[in-house]
Structure formats: structure tokens, C-alpha cells
Amino acid sequence: MGTPCHFALFDLKPGFRLDLELLASRYRELARHVHPDRFADASEREQRVALEQSASLNEAYRTLKNPPQRARYLLALSGPELPLEVTVQDPSFLLQQMQWREELEDLHDSADLAGVAQFKRRLKVAQDELNESFAVCWDDASRREEAERLMRRMQFLDKLSHEVRQLEERLDD
Amino acid sequence: MALLQIAEPGQSPQPHQRRLAVGIDLGTTNSLVAAVRSGLSEPLADAAGQVILPSAVRYHADRVEVGEDARAAASGDPLNTVLSVKRLMGRGLADVKQLGEQLPYRFVGGESHMPFIETVQGPKSPVEVSAEILKVLRQRAEATLGGELVGAVITVPAYFDDSQRQATKDAARLAGLNVLRLLNEPTAAAVAYGLDQHAEGVVAIYDLGGGTFDISVLRLTGGVFEVLATGGDSALGGDDFDYAIASWIVQQAGVSEDLDPGQQRLLLQTACAAKEALTNNATTTLSYAGWQGVLSREQLDALIEPMVARSLKACRRAVRDAGIELEEVEAVVMVGGSTRVPRVRQAVAELFSREPLADIDPDQVVAIGAAIQADALAGNKRGDGEELLLLDVIPLSLGLETMGGLMEKVIPRNTTIPVARAQDFTTYKDGQTAMMIHVLQGERELISDCRSLARFELRGIPPMVAGAAKIRVTFQVDADGLLSVSALELASGVEASIQVKPSYGLTDGEIARMLQDSFKNASDDKVARVLREQQVDAQRLLEAVEAALLADGERLLDADERVAIEAQMQQLRDCMAANDGLAIEQQTKRLTQITDAFAARRLDATVKASLAGRSLDEIEE
């Protein structure tokens, strides 16, 4: 019995467009059945089985919930394993990346909270657009290379939003 | 047993027989035990009608005193009376020093790194002191409920790290309690509010106790309690307010800061009384060592402001970590005695722009929630049929030391538990045959800023060129929030693993000694009790396997597997008839092992069935 595909686990068709509400409710349903709380009084071994099943359920949920991770997972399902870090051949995006980062550094230096909030909103818009582009691209099997490039962009923006959170934390000190 | 419990969650094997389980709030200042009776979760009172047990333990030469009398004796017998022991749980001597010279005890080192308190009964570890409190609560519960407990849910601050959790579990073990689950205090409070007050949506739980502060953000949907993020400070609480007032008194009175332990206790009591008086009054008069003065609420507010600010900062971080904005929080719940301080309430109300809820007694709500979960875990079905599911998170990131003294995160904070995650590493020298695995917990990059949880070595790696070996390190956090780590060299299959025994925990030797001490006078009792437990366990397993065979034997087992299981069942029955404890234990274990694959297949089948939206019965057709 191999590891089932994350989508199959939730009884969903593999795809980038996902009904997140449905995913969440299936997750809760499954979690009810495998959560270790159901086995609090069971044998050690069965508790371990429940622990492992719950852990992989949580992992699958986490992967599908997050758009860049979902994109990456889809690509990995249908092709060779993707290295986590690669030298990205995406000059136009590289330029944009540098601009984002410079802006973030300026915000850090000026401790501009309103600026950070505005940056966050712009970032969110960019992420939504990118998700939409990936969804369109994913529907066309001949555009796999482009899909990979878009996924890398999504990963970058995800990292960037993480950095924004860290910046907010520092400015809160 | 679990094989049986696949039927329906919360269903007891014998529905007419309610299994006794309790929730225990082991607090810094006060402790409580609660249980579900007639469908209602409520704290249990002692013979004198008192629900709250002060977390104070006084050692006499020949006995141990716990509770109000012990607390009253604190200034008269400071060295033998331990208060706020929770602040010492899972801490090293260095941490304890950092808490300040405020603690009026004589510490001695033990076999482990844990500080022991020198008392008239010899050195006592914080774990032993906590166990004394738990024993009293256990006795109270058994007397009130009229029977032996199946187990207990013990609450811990959400922000407790692995060492502090492990120490709490050890204390329960010493007190003879079967720990069904360690439950985070804010989550317990959320359960109480969710079920009794029917709260729904995004809720923030602000829990300021005597010594710890937690903030948790949860999403409540139909019996599911999903923690989105948690944060806090495991060394911030009402005690710190007392210290702030105490040093103000020392300043005002112009007395020396060099106090003996008795004076120190008296000073803290004076400070605490002033703090409490200012909850309902604008000013209070206090006197200490011949000095008399007036403290106003404004002055108190100013004294505690830095601490209140620290708690608000943690709130903002938790809300950010939850991926939401402050406005999206639909209700704020106050938990812990220190939320009675008016300035605290006001500050929280301002931050969330809404009046915080305190409908359930902030001192009792955690124990009430814990009892509800304990009841469910023990297999008792809830009266309203609503099924409970708690999805909690780890409060602090877990990781490994990498080159250059840096911490590499393997599991980030606020990841839902249980969780298992692996990361691959390689050797950095030619011919390297061993690798040190250093497990850390914390948010900072430098390992010196993180808490060291454990170190162990993977040995016997076959010599290869640098970078050729592939070492997979797997972290697993269980539903109690406790971590275990294993390391495997993939090419050779060399393996090493540990249940993380925290650096500041007790050594196995120390636990063995304490268990021995506690059983010294009861060794015959113990043998009989152990045998009875073994018999009960074996019987339960047999019944579970029988039921499972009946339900799924045909479908999920081949003939050989079935014969093997049945033979093993007979073996176990034979040992039970012979009253041979050791053999029963061994044969029970073997039966568990042999039915292992069967159990896993049944679990898979359930998952598939629930996916298809059908019950197991329908599938069997």
C-alpha cells in the first residue's frame, strides 16, 4: 500500500483550482477518524498508527492549502522531482524581485508602518494574479515549463510575505 | 482498545459504565480538578467545600502539607514551603538564576541539570513538588467520584516548551496518574466556552496566570477547535506584578534589598494583597517593616505597564501568525486570575476593540474545559452528541544545529500536531563515521539563543567521501506536543533514535528513585495492583480483537493471519488463567504486535469509508 496522492486522500481531483472550504471540511472529517484523541486509551502500537496517519494527513492538508506548495506538489506528481533551490532563468522576474526587496529594506529603515500595510496589499494582489496565471497555465499540458517558472515566482512571493511578517515583528519592538 | 473504537468515536465498550476521568489545571498559584458529572463539567470541592487548592507544598520532617495551610506557612517556614513551583518545571539552574534572586530557596544540583530544592525531607525536584499537588487532587477526585480514575488530562501553558511538558508528564506519573493528554490551557478554555457558551468563529484566548502568559487564536466550527496560532511567555504572570510592587515598596520604605527568605515572603504577600485590593479600589494602604504608604491604581498601572505591553505584543504576533487581522477576531476570552487586574482588561479591550468575555470564572475555566476533553478521551459519549476535535499546534519552532552554530528549522512554530517531518543532511568530512544531532527549540537563528533539547550521536556510518552519505533526520511531535527524533543513514540503514529526554528533565535514574520512594511502603499493594492492571489490559485487548475479527476478519485477513492471531489469543488466555503477571504482559504485547497490520488496515478502511461518506457497515455489505 503506497502513499496515496494528497488529492486522493481528500477525494479531490488533482488540480490547482481548489475549493478550500471543501478541502477544510474534508480535512476535519478525516481528522476526526484518525486523530490520536480517538485512541487515547488504545495500545501503544495503535496509538502510533494513529499518530502517523494524523501526521501525514496534516502534512497533506498543509501542502494543498498553500498555493505555492500545491503548485509544486502538482508539478512533482506529473514530472521529475523538483530541486528546492535552482538558479532561476527568469530575468524579468529577477528584476522585479530586486525592486520588491529594495522597497522592503527602505520600509525597514524608515519604520514606516503605513507603508508596510500598503506593501502587504500590493503583495497580496501580485500573489492572486500569479495564482490565476498558474491555474490557466496548468490547464494546458504543453506549458509545463512556464508552469514551473510561475511556481518559482509563487515561491518567491511566499518567502517575501514571510519576510514582511518578520519586518512587522521587528517594527513592533 | 482501539481496534474496537473504530466503531464510533466516544462510544464506550460498555455504555452503561461511565469511565472516570478528570481534568486538572496545575497552576502556578492555584490548582483545580474538574469532572463531567450528569453531563455537566464542574470543579470538584474538597471536604471543606473548597474548589481551589493553592499550589503550595510544605515539607515537614514526617509528612507533606499541600494547600492553604502550606501557603499560610510560607513566610514562617520559607525554606521548606514551595510556592509557584510551576515556574521551575523543566528549567535548568541557569534559568532559575535568571528568574532572579527572588526565589527564597536553597537550590542544590542533582544528577540531571535540574535544580533541586533543599528541604527538611532532603532535596526535592520541582517534579516531585508538583506531584504532591497532583496527589491531593487525585485523592479528592477519587473520593468525590467514588472510584479509581481511568486517567487525567493535565493542562499546560501553550507556550511551554518540550522540557516543561515532559516535566509535567513526569510529575503526573509520580502522582500515579495516567495522563490521557497534555492539553494547552487556552485550548481547554476555548473548549469550555465553545461547548457551554456556544461560541463560534475566530476567538482569541488571553490567558494570564500566576506565572505564565498565553495567547491563542482559534477557529471554532461545530465541535472542532482549530488553533490557528499561539504565542506567549512562559515566564510572565501575576507573580511578576507582585515583584514589581515589592521592589516599589522596598524603594519607598528605604529598606535594604537584602532580605532573608521569611521577610521576602512577607514582602511578596504584602505586594500581592495590595494588587488584589486595587481591583475594586482606587487606592490601598499598605505597611511593611514599620513603613506605611499608599499605592494608587494609577501607580500600579505604571508599574505593570512594561509587562502588559509585552503581553500585547505577543497578541499581535499570534494574530499575524494566524494570518488574520485584529478586526477579524470575533470574541476575546479572559482566562487566569491575573486578568482581574483592571489595567489588563482595559489594555486587551483596546487592542481588540471589543469588551473581553469573562462569563466563566477565569480561575476555573481551564479545568472545566480539560474535564470535558478527559471525559471524551476516556470514551464517554457526550450527552448532546456533539463530537469534540481539538487541533492544536506547536508553540515554538523545532530544529537542528547546523554548521556555524546556526539553527535550521525543521518544523516551524504554529504547525498543527501531530506532525512528522524529515530533513536530509550529509557528512562534511571524508571518512566521517559519526554525526552529532543537536535538537533545538526556539525562534532565533543562533543556537545559543535557542533552548537545547537534546543531543545524540548517529554512529556506524560507513566511511565515504564527504557529502556522499545521506542522513535523514525525522522529527515527530505527538498530540501532547512532545518530540521524538530519529536519524537514519539511508545507504547503510544505520539508525539512531531518541525520545527527546530534555536536557533539563530528570534522568531515568532519578525517576526510578522517586517512584521507588513513593512505592516504598506500598510494595505489596503495588504488585497486586500491577497484576490487576495487566489482567484488565489483557482482557480489554482480547475483547477488542474478538470484536474486530468478527467485524472485519473475513474482509481484511487471510487464513494464515487469522490462525496466527487466534493462536496468540489462546496463549494470552492461558497466562491469564495462571495469574502470571510477567507472562500476561509479554503475551499481551505479542498479541498487539501480531494484530498490528490488521489494525492499520482497519484504520485505512475507516478513512476510505468516511471519505466516501458511508459508514463502515455499508462498506461491509
Side-chain angles (χ1 to χ4, degrees):
Chain A
M1 189 179 56
T3 324
C5 143
H6 289 349
F7 289 97
L9 183 62
F10 294 101
D11 202 22
L12 294 165
K13 264 208 200 93
F16 185 73
R17 290 185 208 273
L18 208 57
D19 181 345
L20 288 176
E21 285 292 315
L22 183 67
L23 175 71
S25 77
R26 295 249 161 101
Y27 165 69
R28 287 187 212 119
E29 175 76 7
L30 289 170
R32 271 190 204 283
H33 284 92
V34 296
H35 195 278
D37 279 1
R38 278 192 62 152
F39 303 91
D41 200 25
S43 73
E44 217 170 281
R45 174 63 189 184
E46 279 166 305
Q47 291 191 352
R48 223 185 65 207
V49 173
L51 175 63
E52 283 163 8
Q53 297 229 12
S54 277
S56 44
L57 176 67
N58 285 338
E59 194 64 17
Y61 182 50
R62 193 185 61 99
T63 305
L64 295 193
K65 217 169 36 168
N66 174 279
Q69 286 185 36
R70 181 163 75 238
R72 188 186 163 77
Y73 182 72
L74 275 171
L75 286 161
L77 269 186
S78 62
E81 175 91 29
L82 296 162
L84 209 56
E85 308 270 342
V86 288
T87 328
V88 186
Q89 306 290 335
D90 192 352
S92 62
F93 188 62
L94 265 175
L95 197 68
Q96 205 198 332
Q97 275 189 39
M98 278 158 63
Q99 282 168 353
W100 285 106
R101 280 200 191 285
E102 267 172 37
E103 260 187 76
L104 202 59
E105 265 168 47
D106 290 345
L107 287 169
H108 181 224
D109 295 339
S110 60
D112 174 7
L113 281 172
V116 174
Q118 208 224 347
F119 187 90
K120 261 167 73 179
R121 280 194 296 274
R122 273 172 45 220
L123 184 58
K124 180 80 177 60
V125 170
Q127 283 177 311
D128 289 346
E129 281 171 8
L130 202 48
N131 289 349
E132 184 51 34
S133 310
F134 184 90
V136 170
C137 183
W138 180 250
D139 289 337
D140 183 347
S142 68
R143 292 165 69 187
R144 184 181 163 93
E145 217 170 291
E146 192 186 341
E148 268 189 48
R149 196 165 60 233
L150 289 172
M151 184 273 287
R152 300 277 174 208
R153 291 184 177 188
M154 288 158 82
Q155 277 186 330
F156 169 77
L157 291 191
D158 203 39
K159 229 167 118 188
L160 194 66
S161 71
H162 190 72
E163 281 164 31
V164 175
R165 272 222 318 260
Q166 282 177 327
L167 173 62
E168 284 182 300
E169 215 160 286
R170 274 198 300 273
L171 294 182
D172 201 4
D173 269 327
Chain B
M1 311 297 296
L3 279 166
L4 242 191
Q5 286 180 351
I6 284 174
E8 263 310 307
Q11 195 174 54
S12 155
Q14 290 131 313
H16 57 279
Q17 197 181 341
R18 202 160 182 90
R19 310 181 67 208
L20 303 178
V22 294
I24 294 180
D25 176 1
L26 182 61
T28 307
T29 319
N30 295 314
S31 297
L32 288 95
V33 58
V36 173
R37 291 193 289 174
S38 320
L40 205 71
S41 179
E42 54 186 12
L44 306 178
D46 65 9
Q50 292 298 315
V51 159
I52 282 174
L53 178 73
S55 304
V57 177
R58 182 184 182 192
Y59 288 93
H60 296 270
D62 57 343
R63 67 196 170 93
V64 182
E65 192 173 48
V66 179
E68 195 50 59
D69 291 343
R71 168 141 72 200
S75 56
D77 186 17
L79 295 178
N80 295 309
T81 309
V82 187
L83 303 184
S84 299
V85 66
K86 191 174 181 177
R87 304 197 93 172
L88 307 177
M89 292 289 271
R91 300 286 183 171
L93 263 176
D95 299 310
V96 171
K97 291 232 171 74
Q98 217 190 357
L99 276 176
E101 306 298 311
Q102 308 150 329
L103 299 163
Y105 310 122
R106 279 184 312 216
F107 288 108
V108 287
E111 197 180 304
S112 55
H113 296 282
M114 193 183 257
F116 281 64
I117 298 163
E118 187 61 57
T119 73
V120 65
Q121 277 191 27
K124 295 288 171 190
S125 75
V127 170
E128 285 169 286
V129 178
S130 298
E132 293 298 341
I133 301 168
L134 290 170
K135 274 182 208 163
V136 171
L137 294 173
R138 179 183 140 214
Q139 282 154 8
R140 180 194 293 186
E142 287 179 346
T144 315
L145 301 173
E148 216 167 298
L149 301 180
V150 171
V153 167
I154 317 257
T155 61
V156 289
Y159 217 59
F160 254 19
D161 65 25
D162 199 81
S163 321
Q164 293 167 306
R165 284 168 198 269
Q166 192 67 58
T168 306
K169 213 172 174 178
D170 287 345
R173 235 170 95 195
L174 267 184
L177 283 165
N178 173 34
V179 180
L180 294 169
R181 184 70 72 236
L182 294 180
L183 175 63
N184 289 333
E185 285 159 10
T187 311
V191 168
Y193 269 87
L195 296 182
D196 291 350
Q197 307 275 316
H198 303 288
E200 288 271 311
V202 178
V203 174
I205 312 282
Y206 181 100
D207 180 357
L208 188 62
T212 55
F213 168 66
D214 281 331
I215 171 76
S216 283
V217 181
L218 297 97
R219 177 170 286 125
L220 276 52
T221 15
V224 182
F225 297 78
E226 191 181 357
V227 179
L228 302 176
T230 196
D233 192 328
S234 61
L236 171 66
D239 282 5
D240 298 294
F241 295 180
D242 297 348
Y243 290 128
I245 299 169
S247 51
W248 177 83
I249 296 173
V250 166
Q251 231 177 27
Q252 297 293 310
V255 295
S256 157
E257 280 177 55
D258 202 16
L259 305 173
D260 72 40
Q263 291 171 316
Q264 205 175 330
R265 271 284 165 238
L266 204 61
L267 175 63
L268 284 171
Q269 278 169 6
T270 310
C272 183
K275 172 186 76 181
E276 287 173 7
L278 288 174
T279 295
N280 295 314
N281 304 300
T283 59
T284 184
T285 308
L286 32 76
S287 52
Y288 175 75
W291 166 86
Q292 205 175 48
V294 172
L295 181 66
S296 70
R297 195 184 278 171
E298 286 72 37
Q299 282 167 309
L300 173 67
D301 292 353
L303 286 174
I304 63 172
E305 194 51 37
M307 291 165 256
V308 173
R310 242 162 85 199
S311 80
L312 295 186
K313 193 181 154 194
C315 291
R316 286 190 293 268
R317 186 171 93 156
V319 169
R320 270 198 300 273
D321 281 356
I324 58 168
E325 301 293 329
L326 279 164
E327 303 80 66
E328 291 173 66
V329 175
E330 293 162 78
V332 184
V333 169
M334 295 303 241
V335 180
S338 306
T339 58
R340 294 212 168 83
V341 174
R343 172 64 197 140
V344 171
R345 283 188 187 218
Q346 186 198 4
V348 172
E350 279 167 13
L351 178 70
F352 290 97
S353 315
R354 63 176 61 245
E355 213 40 55
L357 305 174
D359 302 78
I360 306 181
D361 186 333
D363 285 322
Q364 301 186 357
V365 62
V366 167
I368 290 172
I372 295 171
Q373 201 209 10
D375 195 52
L377 292 183
N380 297 318
K381 216 176 168 63
R382 279 184 59 76
D384 56 13
E386 186 157 35
E387 223 176 277
L388 204 58
L389 175 64
L390 310 189
L391 300 164
D392 224 310
V393 300
I394 54 163
L396 294 155
S397 302
L398 294 162
L400 289 168
E401 174 175 351
T402 58
M403 298 284 284
L406 293 179
M407 141 92 145
E408 168 142 350
K409 284 179 189 165
V410 177
I411 307 179
R413 70 171 188 248
N414 292 319
T415 299
T416 306
I417 52 173
V419 57
R421 208 162 290 172
Q423 200 131 320
D424 291 345
F425 294 85
T426 190
T427 45
Y428 58 93
K429 269 195 290 192
D430 287 346
Q432 187 179 340
T433 57
M435 184 180 247
M436 182 57 111
I437 314 277
H438 185 194
V439 185
L440 299 155
Q441 185 161 33
E443 305 311 317
R444 309 282 292 278
E445 294 210 335
L446 286 178
I447 62 155
S448 49
D449 295 328
C450 292
R451 173 161 293 255
S452 167
L453 290 181
R455 286 171 200 269
F456 67 107
E457 207 172 18
L458 177 68
R459 280 190 209 145
I461 303 170
M464 287 179 249
V465 291
K470 199 172 178 194
I471 292 141
R472 177 157 296 170
V473 181
T474 306
F475 277 47
Q476 188 178 62
V477 183
D478 67 16
D480 290 328
L482 292 171
L483 171 71
S484 52
V485 181
S486 61
L488 172 72
E489 201 289 300
L490 293 174
S492 61
V494 173
E495 199 171 354
S497 70
I498 54 161
Q499 167 84 47
V500 170
K501 217 35 218 176
S503 311
Y504 299 118
L506 295 170
T507 65
D508 286 337
E510 282 167 341
I511 290 192
R513 174 186 62 76
M514 290 171 195
L515 279 172
Q516 242 168 22
D517 283 357
S518 63
F519 284 130
K520 213 180 325 186
N521 304 318
S523 67
D524 289 346
D525 273 11
K526 193 193 154 204
V527 171
R529 185 180 165 140
V530 166
L531 178 65
R532 202 174 73 232
E533 279 170 4
Q534 284 160 337
Q535 294 272 23
V536 169
D537 282 350
Q539 188 55 39
R540 262 206 261 155
L541 179 62
L542 281 172
E543 282 168 15
V545 175
E546 260 163 32
L549 281 177
L550 200 65
D552 293 320
E554 284 298 316
R555 194 163 59 95
L556 298 174
L557 292 174
D558 65 31
D560 286 349
E561 288 171 328
R562 186 162 187 147
V563 167
I565 290 176
E566 277 164 356
Q568 184 57 39
M569 288 170 79
Q570 195 46 51
Q571 280 232 3
L572 177 56
R573 284 196 195 98
D574 294 345
C575 313
M576 286 173 72
N579 271 332
D580 181 347
L582 193 63
I584 295 174
E585 195 178 335
Q586 282 168 350
Q587 299 303 330
T588 304
K589 208 174 239 170
R590 285 190 52 186
L591 181 56
T592 309
Q593 282 162 355
I594 208 168
T595 52
D596 210 30
F598 183 34
R601 274 177 233 164
R602 296 195 79 214
L603 212 54
D604 277 332
T606 324
V607 169
K608 285 194 191 107
S610 76
L611 264 179
R614 292 179 297 172
S615 77
L616 207 55
D617 300 340
E618 287 172 79
I619 284 203
E620 275 162 4
E621 286 167 4

